Amino acid sequence: MFINTKNPALVGKPLLDKSKSQRRHPLVFPTIAERQELGKSSTNQGGSALVKTKEVPVVGFKHQTLLQGVDTLSITAGGNQPSNWLLEQSQIWNEYQLSHDINEDNICIEFDNKWWELYPYGKKPYKYQLINKEIGFISIWNTDKWNTADIGKQHIHITFYPKFLHSFTTKDLNVEVLRIVSLLFLNPEGVVIQVSRADLHSDVSSSKMLDFDEVINSISRCKFRDYWYENDNEDFNRDDLEVLTPLNNNKGGQKLIDSVLADKLYNMLHNQVSFGSDRIIAKRDIESAYWGNKITGSIWGKVYNKSNQVKVKNIDDTPLLWSDNGWNGEDVVVRVEFSMRRDFLKSMDDGKYVGLEAFLDNVDVIWKYLTEKWLRLVVDVKENNSTWSQITPFWDCVTLSFNKVEETIIRIKSYKSKINQLWLQGSGCFKQMISLMMMNNTDTFAYKNTIKALEIDLQQAYHINDYIKRRQKIGIA
């Protein structure tokens, strides 16, 4: 693993004294970014050499957006009263939670004409938890204490999984989410739905995975909590700097800052830029590059080799979608992904995009900001004036990913790769068992007896509805 740590860049603005900041971590303490010049090799923390092979990009290669959209979506919903169905079910669920034995399997319930696994316990602050591995995870407030929740946003929390999200266009997704949520409230018209967490992604074809130079030549705002304004070009004059300079006299104290100047300083602090990625994971070549902090940040981004991931994880659906959008099956597919929490959405245009409908209607606006201001991959970083840095052809394709409205191709879920994998695993286990059971090298009793025992067991499983129960658990019954 290669770790690349970066520092924020000096932009020629006043420093914020670390000791006088009232925040837990100061927003700005700019230094000159130490850019690591990577030669033919560099050393990781373990001391072993990490060989860097410089690939020559294909001249004239035309990058293409193969897939884009919402990849993860978590929402909260709040309303005055739960639906009659939810009130009736909650009484049954309460009894189930009290009587459930730890050695028993979780039961499945029918909701929205689909089977969901009901957990026998809640997780604060929610009382009930439901999961359908094809759709998502639902957490529900205690119906007996409905009024103790925040009416506007706290009663229901739902995380929708990528396989469900990719089945709808952005426009249709809002309609489908609203339909599901409305089943849990008595008056759907009064329900408020807000985005808690969302991931936007773009899959772009490339002749190769990004190399170290392309990742290092990046300009981002990931080190600072960013408030976006339509016009964030703020200039400081000599008088401004004098006001920001502390008085040097025996009485101490400091001049009061004019409100206009304070706004300039505030905008400058929240629009500081830095160079290079925060973290790089690589073996021989780069696998992933990260900007921002997933644990503590409200916004973070990453770039990684998606075509390699689908091979490792035996994902069938995504390559089929790529092919339908022009993928030749050979080009490397690089995914650019941005993850954001509600705090970040609140900071954009005074919280205009926190609501689900507003968010989905403006994903192109949000993507434009993320790829043009929050993060850019450039040909060469011009540290004196980063706005002059020219973006790479790859990043040019990324920025335009959401400009064109594309219809999502809905496919029936394929389990071919997973079935083949399970077959190979199961078959290998039986072969190993038979090998141990054989009395000698020519013994046939072991495998014949195993075939008969397996046939009896599989037939019995059908008659006791074991297959149906399993289909309910994985959400496809």
Side-chain angles (χ1 to χ4, degrees):
M1 177 184 293
F2 174 81
I3 304 297
N4 179 27
T5 305
K6 64 169 179 53
N7 294 320
L10 180 64
V11 295
K13 306 294 185 182
L15 299 182
L16 178 65
D17 189 353
K18 187 175 182 180
S19 63
K20 296 180 180 179
S21 174
Q22 294 181 355
R23 296 178 178 270
R24 187 172 182 180
H25 301 288
L27 286 174
V28 180
F29 203 94
T31 58
I32 297 296
E34 297 180 3
R35 295 187 54 201
Q36 182 181 10
E37 298 295 335
L38 294 176
K40 292 184 179 181
S41 67
S42 58
T43 305
N44 60 14
Q45 293 179 345
S48 61
L50 176 66
V51 180
K52 176 195 170 186
T53 58
K54 176 117 178 144
E55 296 185 55
V56 179
V58 178
V59 178
F61 183 87
K62 186 177 181 181
H63 298 282
Q64 180 183 357
T65 301
L66 301 175
L67 192 64
Q68 48 90 332
V70 182
D71 194 55
T72 299
L73 179 64
S74 295
I75 58 101
T76 57
N80 290 325
Q81 290 180 289
S83 66
N84 293 330
W85 176 87
L86 181 55
L87 286 173
E88 295 173 358
Q89 290 293 313
S90 63
Q91 302 305 314
I92 301 174
W93 299 348
N94 289 338
E95 295 181 7
Y96 166 66
Q97 290 179 344
L98 292 173
S99 61
H100 181 267
D101 187 274
I102 192 172
N103 297 319
E104 297 176 348
D105 292 334
N106 297 343
I107 65 171
C108 291
I109 64 161
E110 189 173 2
F111 170 64
D112 191 27
N113 294 322
K114 300 175 183 65
W115 290 97
W116 296 70
E117 182 180 350
L118 175 65
Y119 285 24
Y121 51 84
K123 183 177 181 180
K124 290 185 177 180
Y126 296 100
K127 174 74 170 176
Y128 314 108
Q129 298 183 100
L130 311 172
I131 185 172
N132 181 302
K133 295 180 180 178
E134 298 293 307
I135 301 175
F137 190 91
I138 302 178
S139 300
I140 304 175
W141 199 265
N142 188 343
T143 54
D144 295 331
K145 301 179 180 179
W146 198 259
N147 293 332
T148 62
D150 188 331
I151 299 298
K153 51 189 168 183
Q154 211 173 13
H155 290 118
I156 307 294
H157 184 284
I158 306 179
T159 296
F160 293 102
Y161 297 152
K163 60 183 71 175
F164 170 81
L165 297 172
H166 291 169
S167 300
F168 301 92
T169 63
T170 304
K171 181 179 180 180
D172 293 337
L173 180 60
N174 179 59
V175 176
E176 182 64 13
V177 171
L178 182 59
R179 186 192 64 80
I180 294 175
V181 170
S182 65
L183 300 175
L184 300 171
F185 292 92
L186 185 62
N187 182 19
E189 295 181 357
V191 174
V192 177
I193 303 177
Q194 295 185 340
V195 177
S196 177
R197 153 83 187 272
D199 294 0
L200 298 180
H201 79 94
S202 174
D203 295 349
V204 177
S205 62
S206 181
S207 60
K208 61 179 181 62
M209 179 56 187
L210 304 183
D211 57 32
F212 286 93
D213 288 337
E214 291 175 292
V215 171
I216 290 176
N217 287 338
S218 63
I219 303 172
S220 69
R221 292 173 174 173
C222 59
K223 282 295 183 181
F224 310 99
R225 197 163 173 186
D226 206 8
Y227 283 74
W228 178 36
Y229 294 86
E230 292 294 337
N231 182 13
D232 53 12
N233 297 319
E234 301 291 352
D235 296 323
F236 287 79
N237 54 40
R238 183 180 298 274
D239 292 337
D240 292 340
L241 297 179
E242 289 180 356
V243 172
L244 291 172
T245 304
L247 291 174
N248 294 319
N249 53 35
N250 295 331
K251 294 182 179 180
Q254 190 168 339
K255 296 179 182 179
L256 293 176
I257 299 178
D258 178 73
S259 60
V260 175
L261 176 57
D263 288 340
K264 289 183 181 181
L265 179 62
Y266 184 78
N267 286 355
M268 184 274 290
L269 295 180
H270 289 296
N271 288 283
Q272 183 82 313
V273 298
S274 53
F275 306 133
S277 66
D278 288 315
R279 187 161 54 102
I280 298 174
I281 296 179
K283 293 179 182 177
R284 181 178 179 86
D285 299 315
I286 285 182
E287 293 182 355
S288 304
Y290 297 82
W291 290 263
N293 192 318
K294 179 179 180 180
I295 298 175
T296 61
S298 60
I299 172 70
W300 62 94
K302 66 178 178 178
V303 175
Y304 61 100
N305 190 332
K306 185 65 177 180
S307 52
N308 183 53
Q309 186 192 68
V310 297
K311 291 179 182 178
V312 174
K313 294 187 176 181
N314 291 317
I315 301 174
D316 284 338
D317 295 1
T318 303
L320 292 175
L321 293 172
W322 292 341
S323 298
D324 289 331
N325 287 321
W327 184 50
N328 59 15
E330 298 179 356
D331 293 339
V332 174
V333 180
V334 181
R335 171 163 289 192
V336 178
E337 186 173 288
F338 293 99
S339 304
M340 63 208 78
R341 293 191 173 98
R342 184 177 296 166
D343 284 349
F344 171 75
L345 295 175
K346 285 181 178 180
S347 70
M348 294 188 68
D349 281 353
D350 296 326
K352 179 180 177 181
Y353 311 117
V354 173
L356 177 64
E357 185 175 4
F359 173 81
L360 294 177
D361 286 345
N362 292 279
V363 289
D364 57 331
V365 176
I366 298 172
W367 186 261
K368 178 180 175 67
Y369 169 75
L370 292 172
T371 57
E372 292 184 5
K373 293 193 175 183
W374 195 84
L375 175 64
R376 287 182 294 144
L377 268 57
V378 298
V379 177
D380 185 36
V381 176
K382 299 183 184 300
E383 298 185 7
N384 292 331
N385 194 334
S386 60
T387 58
W388 290 359
S389 300
Q390 180 185 357
I391 62 175
T392 64
F394 168 79
W395 200 252
D396 184 50
C397 182
V398 171
T399 60
L400 299 175
S401 296
F402 281 77
N403 288 8
K404 181 181 178 182
V405 179
E406 297 180 357
E407 293 295 323
T408 302
I409 301 169
I410 302 175
R411 288 183 171 271
I412 298 175
K413 176 68 177 178
S414 173
Y415 297 98
K416 182 178 179 181
S417 294
K418 184 171 290 187
I419 291 173
N420 289 339
Q421 181 182 12
L422 291 171
W423 170 259
L424 292 174
Q425 290 176 346
S427 177
C429 290
F430 280 114
K431 290 175 183 177
Q432 185 74 5
M433 182 188 72
I434 292 171
S435 300
L436 296 173
M437 290 173 58
M438 292 175 62
M439 302 299 295
N440 53 60
N441 293 342
T442 60
D443 182 17
T444 61
F445 174 80
Y447 82 82
K448 290 181 179 179
N449 192 50
T450 300
I451 293 174
K452 291 181 179 179
L454 184 60
E455 181 180 8
I456 294 173
D457 185 69
L458 295 179
Q459 287 180 348
Q460 184 180 9
Y462 177 81
H463 292 299
I464 63 175
N465 294 325
D466 187 35
Y467 301 128
I468 295 178
K469 293 177 182 177
R470 290 175 181 272
R471 287 176 62 83
Q472 290 174 346
K473 291 279 188 181
I474 60 179
I476 62 174

